[in-house]
Amino acid sequence: MSAQLWSETVRTDAQYEYMVFPRVIAAAERAWHKAEWELDYQATRTYSQESNYVDQAALTKDFNRFANALGQRELNKLAKANVHYRLPVPGAVIEQGKLYMNSAFPGVALQYSLDRGASWQSYELNRAPSVSGEIWIRSVDYQAQRASRVTTLTSKN
């Protein structure tokens, strides 16, 4: 098992941490944890997304367990240790004038701005706000001290 970082342009410890975390946690998880859904390699099989050898329900359950642990516990530990980790940009869509957002890691807070980042509002699951124009979105850590890269959506209204 290996997890590379091409470090030619990494100049500071903070930049290194940002490039490595939380991905190195996922690499470590895969290295030490053999999940119930994993199969022993067989040279005669062709493995692909379509092969159906893996129990997809068990894989999804295992990933959800990992994503929840990372988002609700491990990222908080990194923040408390002052590790400069990268937060993922949230997924978002605007449908019928309503903003819907989600994150790969449950427990990570989501925010949106209707005024180009001058003020940020917390996004609440199951309460899609009405929006129009250009919307800025980001995810933030539990203390709202660290934020993901900001991306934009434009409402078609």
Side-chain angles (χ1 to χ4, degrees):
M1 182 80 184
S2 64
Q4 289 79 21
L5 167 65
W6 307 114
S7 60
E8 292 85 2
T9 60
V10 175
R11 301 287 182 242
T12 66
D13 289 346
Q15 188 180 19
Y16 166 79
E17 290 173 353
Y18 182 83
M19 302 280 289
V20 170
F21 288 100
R23 291 180 182 196
V24 73
I25 295 171
E29 172 78 1
R30 293 303 313 130
W32 73 265
H33 172 71
K34 181 166 181 171
E36 295 175 12
W37 53 267
E38 282 187 79
L39 304 172
D40 292 328
Y41 176 74
Q42 294 180 15
T44 58
R45 286 188 169 171
T46 301
Y47 295 89
S48 71
Q49 296 286 2
E50 295 80 30
S51 67
N52 295 322
Y53 293 129
V54 172
D55 179 347
Q56 292 297 317
L59 186 147
T60 299
K61 181 180 177 185
D62 193 44
F63 175 78
N64 288 339
R65 177 202 53 78
F66 171 75
N68 274 283
L70 187 64
Q72 296 182 32
R73 278 196 323 253
E74 301 309 318
L75 294 182
N76 294 342
K77 291 177 187 176
L78 292 175
K80 286 180 182 178
N82 203 29
V83 172
H84 301 282
Y85 64 90
R86 185 188 67 83
L87 281 166
V89 174
V93 66
I94 298 171
E95 292 180 349
Q96 298 178 347
K98 299 271 190 180
L99 175 64
Y100 298 93
M101 296 174 65
N102 64 15
S103 173
F105 304 130
V108 171
L110 304 175
Q111 294 182 335
Y112 64 98
S113 175
L114 304 173
D115 55 11
R116 297 180 163 243
S119 64
W120 290 95
Q121 300 176 45
S122 294
Y123 178 82
E124 297 179 38
L125 294 176
N126 303 320
R127 287 194 175 181
S130 296
V131 295
S132 63
E134 185 179 63
I135 316 305
W136 288 21
I137 63 169
R138 69 182 185 180
S139 57
V140 295
D141 71 2
Y142 79 107
Q143 296 174 327
Q145 293 181 347
R146 177 177 289 107
S148 71
R149 182 174 47 83
V150 173
T151 192
T152 62
L153 296 108
T154 303
S155 174
K156 296 178 183 172
N157 293 356

